[in-house]
Each structure stands twice: as C-alpha cells, then as structure tokens.
Amino acid sequence: MKVLIINASVRNGRSYSRKLTQLFVENWKIKHPSHVFTYRETGIECIPNIDEQWIAGAFKSPADRTEENQEALQLSDALVKELKEHDIYVIATPMYNWSIPGGLKAYIDQIMRINETWKFRSGIPDGDYVGLLHSKKAFILSTRGDTGYGENEKNGHVNFQTTYLKHILGIMGVTDVTTFSLDNEEFGGEIFENSKNEIFRAMQSIE
C-alpha cells in the first residue's frame, strides 16, 4: 500500500498540522510497517495556479492536444498520476480565513481533471459527477484557531475547510474519509493543551 502525505501549511517548525502529519506517520508505520510514504508539499513549495493555457489543454481530448497544451499540463499530469498510484491520502491543512491555504487550492485545481479524476456520467455537463479514483481512503488532518466547526455547531456555517475537502474528494470518488481536527489554537494555554491531548489520543486509534 502507498500513502500520499499532502502538507499545506506555509509554516514549518511551528505548524501544528505538520505535527499531526508526523504523529499520523509514526502511528501508521507501527501498524503498517510495509507501507510506503510519499510526501507532496503545497505550502512551503509553490504549486502554480492554473491558467488559460492549462484550461485549453485540459478540456481537449489527449489526441488533439498541441505541444503547448501538453507542456501546460505537465505538472498536472504528474500530480494526477501520483494520486492514481497511491491508495491512501493524508491531507494536513490549517484553516486560513475559514478555508484552506492558497497552495492547497492550487493543488486541487491541478488535480481536478475531467476524464482523469472525474467525469460527467452522461458525457455532457449536467452536474451528475462520477469519480474516477476507485478504492481510495483519505484522512483529513485539520487545525483551526477556534472551535465549533462541526455540523449544526456555532461555526459550522463558516467551515469551508473540511467540508470543502470532503466534497472535492467525493467528486473524485473518494468517499471513505476520516477527519481529525485540532481546534482552539488561537486561545493557547490550557484550552489548547486539552484539545491537543484529546486529538492526539484519538489519532492513536487510527487503523
């Protein structure tokens, strides 16, 4: 089995989402010592935004793509290939302004490829999406400054982080998704320590 770790924080040593990644990997290696890990960076290293040339290539059939089209899709092709080759995805991301970091959004735009990771069931734009990533599992490791971002909680209506990621994964066919969220970072002190202890204990049970 191959595990793809996707880190999104623009911070390095002070990033709690990266600490969650480290904890996940340590626990996973104990239970699955034969599994292979690949790291994809979207926070510290730049993932370019898609542009007009990208769009022109992505929505053409492969046989009709020019050399310019193929060049524009080179990184995207590599990222999609990487997704297809891995069995488990681990997305570690902080919440920035109630959503995800720009680098992770750029990565998502690169991998949301019609007829590669999703398609329209009928073959025409009708809103009926079919995911093309089969038998995959995902973990979302999120960190947030406040709390109460669950469904029907006080901040649930402004959670454009984990809800968005689950929706995107679902469009691509990944419906087996487990979320761990470390909240209360902006408060610090005992409140945050309690949150850390709670989520670290919960992650010990990951199978």
Side-chain angles (χ1 to χ4, degrees):
M1 299 284 278
K2 299 181 70 176
V3 184
L4 177 62
I5 306 290
I6 303 166
N7 280 313
S9 177
V10 301
R11 297 194 299 180
N12 196 350
R14 296 186 298 117
S15 166
Y16 277 100
S17 66
R18 294 181 188 276
K19 288 181 172 63
L20 293 183
T21 294
Q22 183 179 1
L23 182 60
F24 179 95
V25 171
E26 289 172 355
N27 290 337
W28 199 265
K29 283 183 175 179
I30 292 172
K31 296 172 182 177
H32 308 280
S34 65
H35 288 191
V36 177
F37 290 83
T38 301
Y39 289 82
R40 173 57 59 183
E41 183 60 55
T42 73
I44 296 174
E45 298 175 9
C46 179
I47 298 286
N49 292 315
I50 62 172
D51 56 18
E52 187 172 2
Q53 293 300 325
W54 187 99
I55 294 171
F59 286 89
K60 282 183 182 177
S61 67
D64 295 331
R65 287 175 189 150
T66 65
E67 185 175 337
E68 185 178 35
N69 295 149
Q70 293 171 2
E71 183 177 347
L73 294 174
Q74 189 171 8
L75 173 61
S76 178
D77 287 341
L79 295 177
V80 169
K81 182 174 183 289
E82 184 176 69
L83 274 181
K84 291 179 178 180
E85 290 176 346
H86 286 74
D87 308 288
I88 299 165
Y89 312 139
V90 181
I91 304 173
T93 177
M95 174 181 277
Y96 289 170
N97 299 314
W98 300 280
S99 186
I100 59 175
L104 181 55
K105 178 58 168 64
Y107 172 81
I108 289 170
D109 288 343
Q110 292 280 359
I111 62 171
M112 287 292 290
R113 289 277 300 278
I114 188 169
N115 297 324
E116 290 286 347
T117 56
W118 65 274
K119 67 178 182 179
F120 292 112
R121 190 181 305 276
S122 65
I124 60 173
D126 58 5
D128 187 5
Y129 303 99
V130 177
L132 300 178
L133 298 178
H134 304 296
S135 302
K136 311 292 187 180
K137 180 174 178 59
F139 293 90
I140 299 172
L141 311 180
S142 79
T143 58
R144 305 185 285 219
D146 202 351
T147 190
Y149 289 101
E151 188 177 358
N152 298 321
E153 294 185 343
K154 65 174 184 176
N155 288 319
H157 65 294
V158 289
N159 177 8
F160 307 113
Q161 181 207 38
T162 56
T163 53
Y164 170 71
L165 291 173
K166 289 178 71 174
H167 179 75
I168 288 294
L169 288 166
I171 292 290
M172 295 189 293
V174 185
T175 56
D176 185 357
V177 181
T178 301
T179 301
F180 293 91
S181 296
L182 173 58
D183 293 345
N184 293 311
E185 185 175 355
E186 69 185 38
F187 296 104
E190 184 178 356
I191 293 175
F192 186 45
E193 286 301 314
N194 289 338
S195 294
K196 285 195 292 184
N197 292 335
E198 180 181 346
I199 202 67
F200 289 174
R201 283 195 301 269
M203 289 182 63
Q204 297 286 341
S205 65
I206 294 176
E207 295 291 343

